[in-house]
Coordinates of all heavy atoms in Angstrom, one line a residue:
L256 N -16.9 -11.9 16.4 CA -17.5 -11.0 15.5 C -19.0 -11.0 15.6 O -19.6 -9.9 15.6 CB -17.1 -11.3 14.0 CG -17.5 -10.2 13.0 CD1 -17.0 -8.9 13.3 CD2 -17.0 -10.7 11.6
P257 N -19.7 -12.1 15.7 CA -21.2 -12.0 15.8 C -21.6 -11.2 17.0 O -22.5 -10.4 16.9 CB -21.6 -13.5 16.0 CG -20.5 -14.3 15.2 CD -19.3 -13.5 15.5
A258 N -21.0 -11.5 18.2 CA -21.3 -10.7 19.4 C -21.0 -9.2 19.2 O -21.7 -8.3 19.7 CB -20.6 -11.3 20.6
L259 N -19.8 -8.9 18.6 CA -19.4 -7.6 18.3 C -20.4 -6.8 17.4 O -20.8 -5.7 17.7 CB -18.0 -7.5 17.7 CG -17.5 -6.2 17.3 CD1 -17.2 -5.3 18.5 CD2 -16.2 -6.3 16.5
M260 N -20.9 -7.5 16.4 CA -21.8 -6.9 15.5 C -23.2 -6.7 16.2 O -23.8 -5.7 16.0 CB -22.0 -7.8 14.2 CG -20.8 -7.8 13.3 SD -20.5 -6.2 12.5 CE -21.9 -6.2 11.3
A261 N -23.6 -7.7 17.0 CA -24.8 -7.5 17.7 C -24.8 -6.4 18.7 O -25.7 -5.6 18.8 CB -25.2 -8.8 18.5
H262 N -23.7 -6.2 19.4 CA -23.5 -5.1 20.4 C -23.5 -3.8 19.6 O -24.2 -2.8 20.0 CB -22.2 -5.3 21.2 CG -21.9 -4.1 22.1 ND1 -22.7 -3.8 23.2 CD2 -21.0 -3.2 22.0 CE1 -22.2 -2.8 23.8 NE2 -21.1 -2.4 23.1
S263 N -22.7 -3.7 18.6 CA -22.7 -2.4 17.8 C -24.0 -2.1 17.1 O -24.4 -1.0 17.1 CB -21.6 -2.5 16.7 OG -20.3 -2.8 17.3
G264 N -24.7 -3.2 16.7 CA -26.0 -3.0 16.1 C -27.0 -2.4 17.1 O -27.8 -1.6 16.7
N265 N -27.0 -2.9 18.3 CA -27.8 -2.4 19.4 C -27.6 -0.9 19.6 O -28.5 -0.2 19.8 CB -27.7 -3.2 20.6 CG -28.3 -4.6 20.5 OD1 -29.2 -4.8 19.8 ND2 -27.8 -5.6 21.3
L266 N -26.3 -0.6 19.6 CA -26.0 0.8 19.9 C -26.5 1.7 18.7 O -27.0 2.8 18.9 CB -24.4 1.0 20.0 CG -23.8 0.4 21.2 CD1 -22.3 0.6 21.1 CD2 -24.3 1.0 22.5
V267 N -26.4 1.2 17.5 CA -27.0 1.9 16.3 C -28.4 2.1 16.5 O -29.0 3.2 16.2 CB -26.6 1.2 15.0 CG1 -27.4 1.8 13.9 CG2 -25.1 1.3 14.7
M268 N -29.1 1.0 16.9 CA -30.6 1.1 17.0 C -31.0 2.1 18.1 O -32.0 2.9 18.0 CB -31.1 -0.3 17.4 CG -31.0 -1.3 16.3 SD -32.0 -1.0 14.9 CE -33.6 -1.5 15.6
Q269 N -30.2 2.2 19.2 CA -30.6 3.1 20.3 C -30.4 4.5 19.8 O -31.1 5.4 20.3 CB -29.7 2.8 21.5 CG -30.0 1.5 22.2 CD -28.9 1.1 23.2 OE1 -28.2 2.0 23.7 NE2 -28.9 -0.1 23.7
Q270 N -29.4 4.8 19.0 CA -29.1 6.1 18.5 C -30.2 6.6 17.4 O -30.5 7.7 17.4 CB -27.7 6.2 17.9 CG -26.6 6.0 18.9 CD -26.6 7.2 19.9 OE1 -26.8 8.3 19.6 NE2 -26.3 6.8 21.2
L271 N -30.6 5.6 16.6 CA -31.5 6.0 15.5 C -33.0 5.9 15.8 O -33.7 6.8 15.3 CB -31.2 5.1 14.3 CG -29.8 5.2 13.6 CD1 -29.7 4.2 12.5 CD2 -29.6 6.6 13.1
F272 N -33.4 5.0 16.6 CA -34.8 4.7 16.7 C -35.2 4.6 18.2 O -34.4 4.3 19.1 CB -35.2 3.4 16.0 CG -34.7 3.3 14.6 CD1 -33.8 2.4 14.2 CD2 -35.2 4.2 13.6 CE1 -33.3 2.3 12.9 CE2 -34.7 4.2 12.3 CZ -33.8 3.2 12.0
S273 N -36.5 4.8 18.4 CA -37.1 4.4 19.7 C -38.2 3.5 19.4 O -38.8 3.4 18.3 CB -37.6 5.7 20.4 OG -38.6 6.3 19.6
P274 N -38.7 2.7 20.4 CA -39.7 1.7 20.2 C -41.0 2.2 19.6 O -41.7 1.5 18.9 CB -39.9 1.1 21.6 CG -38.7 1.3 22.3 CD -38.2 2.7 21.8
D275 N -41.3 3.5 19.8 CA -42.6 4.0 19.4 C -42.6 4.7 18.0 O -43.6 5.1 17.5 CB -43.2 5.0 20.4 CG -42.3 6.1 20.7 OD1 -41.1 6.0 20.2 OD2 -42.7 7.1 21.3
N276 N -41.4 4.8 17.4 CA -41.3 5.5 16.1 C -40.8 4.6 15.0 O -40.5 5.1 13.9 CB -40.6 6.8 16.2 CG -39.1 6.6 16.3 OD1 -38.6 5.5 16.4 ND2 -38.4 7.7 16.4
F277 N -40.5 3.4 15.3 CA -40.0 2.5 14.3 C -40.5 1.1 14.5 O -40.2 0.5 15.6 CB -38.4 2.4 14.3 CG -37.8 1.7 13.1 CD1 -38.0 2.1 11.8 CD2 -37.1 0.5 13.3 CE1 -37.5 1.4 10.7 CE2 -36.6 -0.2 12.3 CZ -36.8 0.2 11.0
P278 N -41.3 0.5 13.6 CA -42.1 -0.7 13.9 C -41.2 -1.9 14.3 O -41.5 -2.7 15.1 CB -42.8 -1.0 12.6 CG -42.9 0.3 12.0 CD -41.7 1.1 12.3
A279 N -40.0 -2.0 13.7 CA -39.2 -3.2 13.9 C -38.0 -2.9 14.8 O -37.0 -3.5 14.8 CB -38.7 -3.7 12.6
S280 N -38.1 -1.9 15.7 CA -37.0 -1.5 16.5 C -36.6 -2.5 17.5 O -35.5 -2.5 18.1 CB -37.3 -0.1 17.2 OG -38.4 -0.3 18.1
N281 N -37.5 -3.5 17.8 CA -37.2 -4.5 18.7 C -36.6 -5.8 18.0 O -36.4 -6.8 18.7 CB -38.4 -4.9 19.6 CG -39.6 -5.3 18.7 OD1 -39.5 -5.2 17.5 ND2 -40.6 -5.9 19.3
N282 N -36.4 -5.7 16.7 CA -35.9 -6.8 16.0 C -34.3 -6.7 16.1 O -33.7 -5.8 15.5 CB -36.3 -6.7 14.5 CG -35.9 -7.9 13.7 OD1 -35.0 -8.6 14.0 ND2 -36.7 -8.2 12.7
A283 N -33.7 -7.7 16.7 CA -32.3 -7.7 16.9 C -31.5 -7.8 15.6 O -30.3 -7.4 15.6 CB -31.9 -8.9 17.8
A284 N -32.1 -8.2 14.5 CA -31.3 -8.3 13.2 C -31.2 -7.0 12.5 O -30.4 -6.9 11.6 CB -32.0 -9.4 12.3
V285 N -32.1 -6.0 12.8 CA -32.1 -4.8 12.0 C -30.8 -4.0 12.2 O -30.2 -3.5 11.3 CB -33.3 -3.9 12.4 CG1 -33.3 -2.6 11.7 CG2 -34.6 -4.7 12.0
G286 N -30.4 -3.8 13.5 CA -29.2 -3.1 13.8 C -28.0 -3.6 13.0 O -27.3 -2.8 12.4
P287 N -27.6 -4.9 13.2 CA -26.5 -5.4 12.4 C -26.6 -5.2 10.9 O -25.6 -5.0 10.2 CB -26.4 -6.9 12.8 CG -27.1 -6.9 14.2 CD -28.1 -5.8 14.1
L288 N -27.8 -5.3 10.4 CA -28.0 -5.2 8.9 C -27.7 -3.7 8.5 O -27.0 -3.5 7.5 CB -29.4 -5.5 8.5 CG -29.7 -7.0 8.4 CD1 -31.2 -7.2 8.1 CD2 -28.9 -7.7 7.3
I289 N -28.1 -2.8 9.3 CA -27.8 -1.3 9.0 C -26.3 -1.1 9.1 O -25.7 -0.4 8.3 CB -28.6 -0.4 10.0 CG1 -30.1 -0.5 9.8 CG2 -28.1 1.0 9.9 CD1 -30.9 0.2 10.8
L290 N -25.7 -1.7 10.2 CA -24.3 -1.6 10.4 C -23.5 -2.2 9.2 O -22.5 -1.6 8.7 CB -23.9 -2.2 11.7 CG -22.5 -1.9 12.3 CD1 -22.5 -0.4 12.6 CD2 -22.3 -2.7 13.5
L291 N -23.9 -3.4 8.7 CA -23.2 -4.0 7.6 C -23.3 -3.2 6.4 O -22.4 -3.1 5.6 CB -23.8 -5.4 7.4 CG -23.1 -6.3 6.5 CD1 -21.7 -6.6 7.0 CD2 -23.8 -7.6 6.3
F292 N -24.5 -2.6 6.1 CA -24.7 -1.7 5.0 C -23.8 -0.5 5.1 O -23.1 -0.1 4.1 CB -26.1 -1.2 4.9 CG -26.4 -0.2 3.8 CD1 -26.5 -0.6 2.5 CD2 -26.4 1.1 4.1 CE1 -26.7 0.4 1.5 CE2 -26.6 2.1 3.1 CZ -26.8 1.7 1.8
A293 N -23.7 0.1 6.3 CA -22.8 1.2 6.5 C -21.3 0.9 6.3 O -20.6 1.7 5.6 CB -23.0 1.8 7.9
F294 N -20.9 -0.3 6.7 CA -19.5 -0.7 6.5 C -19.3 -0.9 5.0 O -18.2 -0.5 4.5 CB -19.2 -2.0 7.3 CG -19.1 -1.8 8.8 CD1 -19.4 -2.8 9.7 CD2 -18.6 -0.6 9.3 CE1 -19.3 -2.6 11.0 CE2 -18.5 -0.4 10.7 CZ -18.8 -1.5 11.5
G295 N -20.2 -1.6 4.3 CA -20.0 -1.8 2.9 C -20.0 -0.5 2.1 O -19.2 -0.3 1.2

Side-chain angles (χ1 to χ4, degrees):
L256 187 58
L259 177 65
M260 290 292 289
H262 174 69
S263 300
N265 287 334
L266 294 177
V267 169
M268 295 289 287
Q269 292 172 16
Q270 293 294 322
L271 293 178
F272 309 115
S273 63
D275 58 347
N276 72 0
F277 187 65
S280 61
N281 59 347
N282 188 334
V285 174
L288 282 175
I289 294 173
L290 196 62
L291 190 61
F292 174 81
F294 286 151

